[in-house]
Amino acid sequence: MSISILKTTIALLKKELIEHKVAFIYVPAIFIIIITLTFLFGMMNNGNVWQRGAFVASNSDARFDLFNFTYAASVMGWLLFMLIMLFFYFAASFSSDRKDNALLFWKSLPVSDLQIISTKTIAGMIMFPIVIMAWSIIAAIATYIAFLLVSINIPIVSALNLAPSVPTFLNLLASMLVLFTLTLLWYLPLFSAVGLLGTILRGWAVPAFILIMLVGSGVEALATFSGEGYFAALMEQRFKAPFIILSEILPNMEHANPINGLKLTEIISIKNFAPNFASSIDWVGMILGWVAAGIFIFIASEYRRRRIQA
Amino acid sequence: MQTNDAIVEVKGLVKNYGKKQVLHSIDFTIPRGRIYGLIGHNGAGKTTAINALLGLISYEGDVKVLGLNPFTNRSKMMLDTAFISDVASLPRFLKVTELLSLVEDIHPNFNRQKAEQILADGDIRDNVKIKSLSKGMMAQLHLAIVMAIDAKLLVLDEPTLGLDITFRKKFYRRLVEDYMSENRSILITTHQVDEIEHLLTDLIFIRDGRIVLDANMDDISNRYIQILVAPEAKQEAMAHNPIFTTKQMGQDIMIFDDLEEEIAKAFGIISTPSISDLFVALMEKKDASQKAATMGAAK
């Protein structure tokens, strides 16, 4: 990649960040503030229920890493948040340059439509996920601070190990990175498909996407007289695969809670998690998905190249 | 004119929208160091021609801008081409300073300092959101950006739409004094033709997707003569087939194509027709010829 292409890409990424700061900066910030304040309020008023577990304080083996546990517990929430936000980002962003009649301004710059659409894809696949991961860490720190404040009045909390364990955190972060990356790559064809629809249909992209799924499955069901046709199975796998894999490789997750003191490192270890997750992925389906995504992105850029009006 | 001096070369440009042909095999060349006015009625095909030059639409025919096919090499061509479209607006979610930074990072030939100098003449502050600017201020900002791009071809499609007369005059003065050079060419379309008349070196009239005039201003002033005809010379002047006649304050005004100056002087006071008068004359002349053709066919 030449320096000028890199410089242009960075400039366009900055533009995407500014344009979509509400979804990826303000909304998570407001979300974290609301959750943290609600938690603090709840603990201050109803924290006495935690007194029941006070005996844990006397048993040092039962202590666990509160910071990393909080972070781990929030990962699935952040993953879902990220996938939903990115779905809507892709639905809107491929056509967002047409807003305010500004399309011809963007076309007056020495950047190809393919580069612009590719940069939007990079923003959705790399930049915004990094932003959301950063927010997830900030959320864990905010929760940790909230626990510290609460510990003034509630002994059980102070009995827990409040000092963050750096190796555990790095381990967890690496596992989260693997989970997020492979999940995003798995969903790339769906994101680019809704992006292509957005390029053509603008605000109707999401309803059109849902309609295509429903009509596709419906037509297939009519043709086969069953709900188990190829398209329906393909879509079901595409939508659920990462979560099915997670539920299969993390059988002990349901037992991890502050009371039984199950060590987080036993549940999520990058050494175990990464190969288990990667080996459970349908890599042929993954690569075919990338090919489909490439085709969708190219068609979207060619459609954009031929548009001159908002 | 050598071909390699041409910034723009158009040969047999055809554009169809469905079954409707909007451009009928038009040809023109824009050499280096010229300011071209592309004039036509609404729907004449000006913007379509410009969009083809800028690679914004597909077309048939041979178009070269700076030696490149604009449709297949648009992003490369835009390194040395700048344009403002009549319908273009700026991204409203950015601040002025963010927009300048963005263009600076993307466009290697953009001079931010120059843009800021141009903006310093107006009331636009750096840290305001573009959406808070008035329509005129937004046009000023857009013009400042375009003029700060070191381009070989500048295409202005109704550039001063929404601007007040003071800024329009200031803009055109700056365009000639600061921007124009022998290495650059400018193509302007506007309905306010009288404002750009003094800038132009060449003129193209387009009507119904066909070029009806493509000439430099010297040739136009040599070729077309406007006469304020003396009442007693009216019949004799009419015998020389004026391409246009009208009345102003009760006096006959006629425009002639290729009438010798010595003959013209005998009919009254001669002058060079303004672009707007010539435009009306040539448009009406075409009407007349079409009418004649239709009448001939009916017979």
Side-chain angles (χ1 to χ4, degrees):
Chain A
M1 189 184 278
S2 74
I3 292 171
S4 68
I5 292 175
L6 187 65
K7 206 175 163 191
T8 299
T9 305
I10 292 168
L12 291 172
L13 287 174
K14 271 189 217 165
K15 171 243 170 193
E16 289 298 311
L17 188 62
I18 294 168
E19 189 173 8
H20 299 280
K21 64 186 172 193
V22 171
F24 295 99
I25 307 282
Y26 297 162
V27 168
I30 292 166
F31 181 70
I32 289 167
I33 289 167
I34 289 172
I35 296 288
T36 308
L37 290 179
T38 308
F39 172 75
L40 270 175
F41 180 80
M43 285 296 280
M44 290 302 179
N45 289 288
N46 306 302
N48 55 339
V49 296
W50 283 57
Q51 299 289 353
R52 283 180 295 164
F55 68 90
V56 176
S58 61
N59 181 1
S60 59
D61 291 340
R63 292 183 178 186
F64 73 100
D65 185 341
L66 181 59
F67 175 78
N68 281 312
F69 182 85
T70 310
Y71 189 43
S74 69
V75 165
M76 285 305 290
W78 285 110
L79 180 62
L80 284 173
F81 174 80
M82 181 177 74
L83 293 176
I84 292 167
M85 293 308 255
L86 287 180
F87 183 76
F88 284 98
Y89 166 75
F90 276 94
S93 70
F94 278 24
S95 62
S96 64
D97 292 345
R98 283 157 66 184
K99 259 191 317 199
D100 309 325
N101 266 345
L103 185 62
L104 286 178
F105 167 75
W106 297 113
K107 283 180 178 255
S108 73
L109 298 173
V111 191
S112 70
D113 295 273
L114 183 60
Q115 193 182 351
I116 286 180
I117 295 290
S118 301
T119 306
K120 286 171 186 285
T121 307
I122 291 169
M125 294 298 288
I126 299 173
M127 183 178 70
F128 289 129
I130 289 172
V131 169
I132 288 175
M133 282 189 77
W135 275 121
S136 72
I137 296 168
I138 291 167
I141 293 169
T143 314
Y144 178 70
I145 292 168
F147 269 115
L148 277 179
L149 292 173
V150 167
S151 70
I152 296 165
N153 292 326
I154 305 187
I156 176 64
V157 175
S158 59
L160 300 171
N161 179 10
L162 289 173
S165 162
V166 173
T168 310
F169 174 66
L170 293 177
N171 201 41
L172 179 57
L173 203 61
S175 293
M176 186 181 171
L177 202 60
V178 169
L179 172 67
F180 276 32
T181 305
L182 292 179
T183 304
L184 284 173
L185 288 172
W186 181 257
Y187 285 124
L188 178 59
L190 295 180
F191 290 149
S192 52
V194 79
L196 171 60
L197 290 173
T199 313
I200 299 164
L201 303 170
R202 302 188 71 180
W204 290 96
V206 175
F209 183 85
I210 295 167
L211 197 65
I212 289 168
M213 296 293 118
L214 291 176
V215 170
S217 303
V219 166
E220 191 178 56
L222 279 176
T224 59
F225 281 103
S226 78
E228 296 172 355
Y230 179 75
F231 180 77
L234 188 71
M235 284 304 112
E236 189 174 356
Q237 189 213 16
R238 186 58 61 177
F239 277 105
K240 291 183 180 171
F243 297 98
I244 291 170
I245 296 169
L246 262 186
S247 66
E248 284 171 0
I249 68 171
L250 296 176
N252 295 323
M253 201 63 190
E254 63 196 46
H255 303 300
N257 64 62
I259 305 302
N260 69 19
L262 188 64
K263 285 182 183 171
L264 191 66
T265 46
E266 290 172 10
I267 303 167
I268 298 174
S269 153
I270 182 69
K271 276 187 200 163
N272 300 326
F273 182 81
N276 284 346
F277 195 83
S279 63
S280 305
I281 283 176
D282 167 12
W283 281 97
V284 174
M286 176 78 104
I287 290 164
L288 287 174
W290 297 346
V291 173
I295 293 168
F296 294 150
I297 288 166
F298 180 74
I299 295 170
S301 72
E302 283 298 302
Y303 182 84
R304 188 186 191 278
R305 191 154 83 94
R306 286 160 174 80
R307 274 213 73 92
I308 51 170
Q309 286 167 344
Chain B
M1 173 72 48
Q2 287 181 357
T3 306
N4 60 6
D5 274 346
I7 298 270
V8 175
E9 283 182 287
V10 175
K11 286 178 192 162
L13 173 59
V14 172
K15 178 64 191 174
N16 297 298
Y17 286 115
K19 288 180 180 172
K20 190 182 177 193
Q21 193 163 40
V22 181
L23 295 176
H24 302 268
S25 191
I26 64 172
D27 305 308
F28 63 91
T29 301
I30 300 180
R32 228 170 267 278
R34 314 291 290 183
I35 303 179
Y36 268 68
L38 179 62
I39 314 293
H41 286 302
N42 291 331
K46 304 186 295 291
T47 300
T48 304
I50 283 176
N51 286 340
L53 290 189
L54 294 170
L56 297 170
I57 53 171
S58 58
Y59 52 79
E60 293 164 41
D62 186 19
V63 178
K64 289 268 188 296
V65 176
L66 300 161
L68 298 167
N69 176 327
F71 190 65
T72 53
N73 295 287
R74 191 181 57 79
S75 59
K76 192 176 175 189
M77 184 190 81
M78 292 315 297
L79 285 168
D80 291 308
T81 306
F83 80 89
I84 288 186
S85 158
D86 58 340
V87 293
S89 186
L90 297 171
R92 296 161 74 92
F93 61 90
L94 292 172
K95 289 180 180 173
V96 172
T97 184
E98 289 169 342
L99 181 68
L100 295 178
S101 301
L102 180 80
V103 180
E104 187 180 25
D105 287 342
I106 291 176
H107 209 308
N109 296 330
F110 176 71
N111 182 338
R112 181 176 184 152
Q113 207 178 0
K114 192 172 177 185
E116 286 171 342
Q117 274 171 7
I118 297 168
L119 288 174
D121 285 351
D123 304 322
I124 301 169
R125 283 175 293 126
D126 270 5
N127 60 346
V128 296
K129 276 259 171 79
I130 292 169
K131 68 181 170 194
S132 69
L133 300 177
S134 68
K135 195 178 171 189
M137 287 166 116
M138 213 182 287
Q140 286 179 37
L141 175 59
H142 205 165
L143 287 171
I145 288 172
V146 163
M147 288 187 67
I149 293 172
D150 183 12
K152 292 190 174 75
L153 173 66
L154 175 61
V155 178
L156 303 169
D157 188 0
E158 296 288 357
T160 54
L161 213 62
L163 291 175
D164 61 49
I165 183 77
T166 318
F167 192 87
R168 293 207 300 265
K169 284 193 175 296
K170 207 188 281 184
F171 165 70
Y172 285 125
R173 192 174 63 239
R174 199 187 282 266
L175 194 66
V176 173
E177 290 174 3
D178 298 346
Y179 191 84
M180 192 55 197
S181 75
E182 60 185 16
N183 290 320
R184 287 180 170 149
S185 291
I186 300 175
L187 176 63
I188 308 176
T189 74
T190 178
H191 285 102
Q192 291 151 331
V193 283
D194 294 333
E195 284 183 11
I196 60 163
E197 187 162 3
H198 64 286
L199 313 175
L200 300 181
T201 60
D202 298 80
L203 196 56
I204 295 175
F205 285 167
I206 186 168
R207 163 115 194 204
D208 296 332
R210 291 183 174 85
I211 288 176
V212 293
L213 177 75
D214 179 1
N216 70 50
M217 296 302 278
D218 292 338
D219 288 346
I220 286 169
S221 58
N222 290 334
R223 179 174 164 185
Y224 295 100
I225 291 179
Q226 180 172 286
I227 308 175
L228 184 63
V229 182
E232 64 277 10
K234 185 178 174 183
Q235 288 302 319
E236 201 181 342
M238 284 298 287
H240 283 85
N241 298 320
I243 58 169
F244 179 68
T245 62
T246 187
K247 270 188 185 293
Q248 252 179 34
M249 311 285 282
Q251 281 197 287
D252 289 298
I253 295 175
M254 298 180 189
I255 296 177
F256 294 87
D257 183 359
D258 264 344
L259 182 67
E260 281 178 35
E261 195 174 330
E262 289 307 311
I263 298 170
K265 276 179 182 170
F267 300 147
I269 303 166
I270 65 168
S271 60
T272 302
S274 67
I275 291 180
S276 51
D277 288 338
L278 187 60
F279 178 72
V280 173
L282 290 178
M283 295 301 121
E284 298 224 341
K285 182 188 175 193
K286 190 158 190 246
D287 272 345
S289 61
Q290 280 179 335
K291 203 180 290 177
T294 312
M295 285 167 70
K299 283 176 190 174

